[in-house]
Amino acid sequence: MNAKELLESYALGDRDFSKRSLIGLILTGANLSGANFIESDLEEITLDIANLEDVELNLANLVRANLSGSILIQANLNGTILEQASLIGANLSEAFLIEADLSDAVLVETNFSNAFLTSANLTRSRLCRANLSNAFLTGAYLNGADLRGANLTEADLTRANLTGANLAGADLSRANLTNAKLNWANLANAKLIGADLTGTYLSTLKSIEGTDFTDARNAPNSVELVNMLVNMEELKPEE
Protein backbone atom coordinates (compact mmCIF):
# COMPACT_ATOMS: atom_id res chain seq x y z
CA MET A 1 0.00 0.00 0.00
CA ASN A 2 1.40 3.39 -0.97
CA ALA A 3 0.64 6.78 0.62
CA LYS A 4 -2.10 7.69 -1.86
CA GLU A 5 -3.90 4.38 -1.41
CA LEU A 6 -3.73 4.66 2.37
CA LEU A 7 -5.18 8.19 2.41
CA GLU A 8 -7.93 7.24 -0.05
CA SER A 9 -8.82 4.21 2.06
CA TYR A 10 -8.93 6.35 5.20
CA ALA A 11 -11.18 8.92 3.45
CA LEU A 12 -13.59 6.09 2.61
CA GLY A 13 -13.87 5.17 6.27
CA ASP A 14 -11.24 2.45 6.64
CA ARG A 15 -9.37 2.75 9.95
CA ASP A 16 -7.67 -0.64 10.14
CA PHE A 17 -4.10 -0.62 8.84
CA SER A 18 -2.77 -3.14 11.34
CA LYS A 19 0.05 -5.53 10.46
CA ARG A 20 0.77 -3.67 7.21
CA SER A 21 4.13 -2.92 5.65
CA LEU A 22 4.20 0.86 5.25
CA ILE A 23 7.95 1.40 5.28
CA GLY A 24 9.15 4.84 4.21
CA LEU A 25 5.76 6.32 3.26
CA ILE A 26 5.56 10.12 3.20
CA LEU A 27 2.40 11.31 4.96
CA THR A 28 3.31 14.85 6.02
CA GLY A 29 0.32 16.67 7.53
CA ALA A 30 -2.02 13.70 7.09
CA ASN A 31 -5.16 13.33 9.21
CA LEU A 32 -5.18 9.74 10.45
CA SER A 33 -6.82 10.24 13.84
CA GLY A 34 -8.29 7.06 15.29
CA ALA A 35 -6.49 4.79 12.82
CA ASN A 36 -5.20 1.34 13.79
CA PHE A 37 -1.54 0.60 13.02
CA ILE A 38 -1.06 -2.19 15.57
CA GLU A 39 2.04 -4.28 14.74
CA SER A 40 2.54 -2.44 11.44
CA ASP A 41 6.01 -1.86 9.99
CA LEU A 42 6.34 1.92 9.78
CA GLU A 43 10.12 2.11 9.70
CA GLU A 44 11.40 5.48 8.41
CA ILE A 45 7.84 6.68 7.74
CA THR A 46 7.29 10.45 7.54
CA LEU A 47 4.32 11.60 9.63
CA ASP A 48 5.46 15.06 10.62
CA ILE A 49 2.75 17.61 11.59
CA ALA A 50 0.18 14.81 11.19
CA ASN A 51 -3.01 14.40 13.23
CA LEU A 52 -2.54 11.06 14.99
CA GLU A 53 -4.81 11.66 17.94
CA ASP A 54 -6.17 8.44 19.48
CA VAL A 55 -4.26 6.23 17.02
CA GLU A 56 -3.33 2.66 17.89
CA LEU A 57 0.39 2.23 17.32
CA ASN A 58 1.14 -0.36 19.94
CA LEU A 59 3.84 -2.88 19.00
CA ALA A 60 4.44 -1.01 15.71
CA ASN A 61 7.93 -0.52 14.25
CA LEU A 62 8.68 3.21 13.99
CA VAL A 63 12.46 3.02 13.89
CA ARG A 64 13.89 6.30 12.49
CA ALA A 65 10.36 7.60 11.83
CA ASN A 66 9.71 11.34 11.58
CA LEU A 67 6.78 12.37 13.81
CA SER A 68 7.96 15.91 14.54
CA GLY A 69 5.15 18.34 15.26
CA SER A 70 2.53 15.59 15.18
CA ILE A 71 -0.51 15.40 17.45
CA LEU A 72 -0.50 12.10 19.35
CA ILE A 73 -2.77 13.03 22.24
CA GLN A 74 -4.03 9.88 24.03
CA ALA A 75 -2.40 7.70 21.37
CA ASN A 76 -1.53 4.10 22.25
CA LEU A 77 2.17 3.39 21.72
CA ASN A 78 2.63 0.63 24.28
CA GLY A 79 5.56 -1.55 23.27
CA THR A 80 6.18 0.54 20.15
CA ILE A 81 9.73 0.72 18.78
CA LEU A 82 10.68 4.38 18.26
CA GLU A 83 14.44 3.94 18.30
CA GLN A 84 16.20 6.94 16.68
CA ALA A 85 12.82 8.45 15.80
CA SER A 86 12.29 12.21 15.64
CA LEU A 87 9.36 13.64 17.64
CA ILE A 88 10.55 17.23 17.98
CA GLY A 89 7.71 19.36 19.31
CA ALA A 90 5.17 16.54 19.05
CA ASN A 91 2.22 16.46 21.44
CA LEU A 92 1.96 13.14 23.29
CA SER A 93 0.05 14.38 26.30
CA GLU A 94 -1.88 11.56 28.01
CA ALA A 95 -0.38 9.08 25.53
CA PHE A 96 0.43 5.49 26.49
CA LEU A 97 4.09 4.51 25.95
CA ILE A 98 4.44 1.68 28.46
CA GLU A 99 7.59 -0.35 27.67
CA ALA A 100 8.07 1.63 24.45
CA ASP A 101 11.59 1.86 23.04
CA LEU A 102 12.59 5.51 22.54
CA SER A 103 16.33 4.96 22.81
CA ASP A 104 18.41 7.54 20.93
CA ALA A 105 15.20 9.35 19.91
CA VAL A 106 15.13 13.12 19.33
CA LEU A 107 12.44 14.44 21.70
CA VAL A 108 13.39 18.10 21.97
CA GLU A 109 10.46 20.20 23.27
CA THR A 110 8.15 17.18 23.01
CA ASN A 111 5.04 17.27 25.22
CA PHE A 112 4.71 14.14 27.38
CA SER A 113 2.58 15.76 30.08
CA ASN A 114 0.44 13.19 31.91
CA ALA A 115 1.79 10.46 29.61
CA PHE A 116 2.35 6.87 30.74
CA LEU A 117 6.01 5.92 30.21
CA THR A 118 6.28 3.12 32.75
CA SER A 119 9.38 0.98 32.04
CA ALA A 120 9.96 2.87 28.78
CA ASN A 121 13.47 2.86 27.31
CA LEU A 122 14.64 6.46 26.86
CA THR A 123 18.35 5.66 26.97
CA ARG A 124 20.44 8.45 25.41
CA SER A 125 17.30 10.21 24.18
CA ARG A 126 17.43 13.97 23.64
CA LEU A 127 14.74 15.50 25.84
CA CYS A 128 15.96 19.10 26.06
CA ARG A 129 13.11 21.38 27.19
CA ALA A 130 10.64 18.49 26.96
CA ASN A 131 7.45 18.69 29.02
CA LEU A 132 7.23 15.62 31.27
CA SER A 133 5.10 17.21 33.96
CA ASN A 134 2.91 14.68 35.80
CA ALA A 135 4.28 11.93 33.56
CA PHE A 136 4.46 8.35 34.86
CA LEU A 137 8.09 7.26 34.44
CA THR A 138 8.17 4.49 37.02
CA GLY A 139 11.06 2.16 36.23
CA ALA A 140 11.91 4.06 33.06
CA TYR A 141 15.42 3.93 31.60
CA LEU A 142 16.76 7.46 31.19
CA ASN A 143 20.44 6.63 31.51
CA GLY A 144 22.54 9.00 29.45
CA ALA A 145 19.47 11.04 28.47
CA ASP A 146 19.78 14.77 27.78
CA LEU A 147 17.10 16.41 29.95
CA ARG A 148 18.54 19.93 30.08
CA GLY A 149 15.79 22.41 30.87
CA ALA A 150 13.11 19.70 30.92
CA ASN A 151 9.91 20.14 32.91
CA LEU A 152 9.55 17.15 35.26
CA THR A 153 7.33 18.78 37.85
CA GLU A 154 5.31 16.21 39.80
CA ALA A 155 6.59 13.41 37.55
CA ASP A 156 6.71 9.90 39.00
CA LEU A 157 10.32 8.72 38.59
CA THR A 158 10.15 5.94 41.16
CA ARG A 159 12.95 3.42 40.46
CA ALA A 160 13.87 5.27 37.25
CA ASN A 161 17.42 4.87 35.99
CA LEU A 162 18.93 8.32 35.46
CA THR A 163 22.55 7.20 35.54
CA GLY A 164 24.68 9.71 33.63
CA ALA A 165 21.65 11.80 32.67
CA ASN A 166 22.08 15.53 32.10
CA LEU A 167 19.42 17.30 34.18
CA ALA A 168 21.08 20.72 34.19
CA GLY A 169 18.42 23.38 34.64
CA ALA A 170 15.61 20.82 34.77
CA ASP A 171 12.59 21.42 36.99
CA LEU A 172 11.93 18.38 39.21
CA SER A 173 9.80 20.23 41.74
CA ARG A 174 7.55 17.82 43.69
CA ALA A 175 8.78 14.91 41.56
CA ASN A 176 8.87 11.43 43.10
CA LEU A 177 12.43 10.09 42.83
CA THR A 178 12.05 7.30 45.36
CA ASN A 179 14.78 4.69 44.80
CA ALA A 180 15.81 6.36 41.53
CA LYS A 181 19.37 5.95 40.26
CA LEU A 182 21.21 9.25 39.81
CA ASN A 183 24.80 8.01 39.63
CA TRP A 184 26.95 10.53 37.72
CA ALA A 185 23.88 12.59 36.82
CA ASN A 186 24.28 16.33 36.30
CA LEU A 187 21.89 18.30 38.52
CA ALA A 188 23.53 21.70 38.09
CA ASN A 189 20.97 24.50 38.56
CA ALA A 190 18.13 21.96 38.70
CA LYS A 191 15.08 22.55 40.88
CA LEU A 192 14.13 19.75 43.29
CA ILE A 193 11.80 21.86 45.40
CA GLY A 194 9.58 19.52 47.41
CA ALA A 195 10.88 16.44 45.55
CA ASP A 196 10.95 13.01 47.24
CA LEU A 197 14.50 11.62 47.24
CA THR A 198 13.85 8.68 49.56
CA GLY A 199 16.28 5.86 48.83
CA THR A 200 18.06 7.88 46.14
CA TYR A 201 21.86 7.62 46.20
CA LEU A 202 23.28 11.10 45.65
CA SER A 203 26.94 10.86 46.62
CA THR A 204 28.12 10.09 43.08
CA LEU A 205 26.35 12.96 41.35
CA LYS A 206 28.39 14.71 38.67
CA SER A 207 27.33 18.21 39.67
CA ILE A 208 24.98 19.91 42.15
CA GLU A 209 26.18 23.47 41.59
CA GLY A 210 23.20 25.77 42.03
CA THR A 211 20.80 22.87 42.69
CA ASP A 212 17.73 23.88 44.74
CA PHE A 213 16.83 21.19 47.31
CA THR A 214 14.34 23.40 49.20
CA ASP A 215 11.81 21.27 51.12
CA ALA A 216 12.99 18.13 49.32
CA ARG A 217 12.43 14.93 51.28
CA ASN A 218 15.70 13.21 52.31
CA ALA A 219 17.78 15.87 50.58
CA PRO A 220 21.44 16.14 51.63
CA ASN A 221 22.02 18.49 54.55
CA SER A 222 24.50 21.37 54.45
CA VAL A 223 27.42 19.24 55.68
CA GLU A 224 26.70 16.48 53.18
CA LEU A 225 26.44 19.04 50.38
CA VAL A 226 29.85 20.47 51.27
CA ASN A 227 31.38 16.99 51.32
CA MET A 228 29.78 16.13 47.99
CA LEU A 229 31.15 19.29 46.40
CA VAL A 230 34.62 18.53 47.77
CA ASN A 231 34.45 15.00 46.35
CA MET A 232 33.38 16.33 42.97
CA GLU A 233 36.35 18.68 42.90
CA GLU A 234 38.69 15.84 43.78
CA LEU A 235 37.26 13.65 41.04
CA LYS A 236 37.74 16.26 38.32
CA PRO A 237 40.38 15.22 35.78
CA GLU A 238 43.66 17.08 35.93
CA GLU A 239 44.26 19.64 33.21
Side-chain angles (χ1 to χ4, degrees), residues 19-24 37-45 47 57-65 67 77-83 85 101:
K19 299 183 179 180
R20 302 285 185 92
S21 178
L22 303 167
I23 299 171
F37 293 100
I38 294 173
E39 294 186 35
S40 288
D41 191 349
L42 307 170
E43 185 171 344
E44 297 186 348
I45 196 168
L47 280 162
L57 283 159
N58 40 314
L59 302 175
N61 176 16
L62 282 152
V63 172
R64 292 185 297 278
L67 295 149
L77 296 103
N78 289 338
T80 300
I81 302 172
L82 288 149
E83 185 179 354
D101 185 355

Side-chain angles (χ1 to χ4, degrees), residues 121-174:
N121 183 4
L122 291 139
T123 303
R124 296 180 304 277
S125 58
R126 293 167 58 188
L127 285 149
C128 299
R129 300 180 301 283
N131 182 1
L132 291 146
S133 59
N134 295 287
F136 296 89
L137 289 147
T138 306
Y141 299 89
L142 288 147
N143 34 311
D146 188 349
L147 288 146
R148 287 174 296 167
N151 179 1
L152 289 145
T153 56
E154 300 189 32
D156 187 350
L157 289 150
T158 305
R159 299 188 307 280
N161 187 346
L162 289 147
T163 301
N166 190 348
L167 290 147
D171 191 346
L172 292 131
S173 298
R174 300 176 302 284

Side-chain angles (χ1 to χ4, degrees), residues 72-75 90-96 111-116:
L72 288 142
I73 297 170
Q74 295 183 336
N91 188 348
L92 290 105
S93 60
E94 300 182 20
F96 294 86
N111 183 2
F112 287 107
S113 60
N114 298 288
F116 297 85

Side-chain angles (χ1 to χ4, degrees), residues 155-160 162 172 174-182 192 194-202 213 215-220:
D156 187 350
L157 289 150
T158 305
R159 299 188 307 280
L162 289 147
L172 292 131
R174 300 176 302 284
N176 186 352
L177 288 148
T178 302
N179 295 320
K181 294 181 180 178
L182 283 161
L192 285 99
D196 191 345
L197 296 162
T198 303
T200 303
Y201 192 63
L202 300 172
F213 289 104
D215 296 327
R217 186 176 181 183
N218 291 303

Side-chain angles (χ1 to χ4, degrees), residues 220-227:
N221 58 39
S222 57
V223 174
E224 290 171 327
L225 283 171
V226 170
N227 290 335

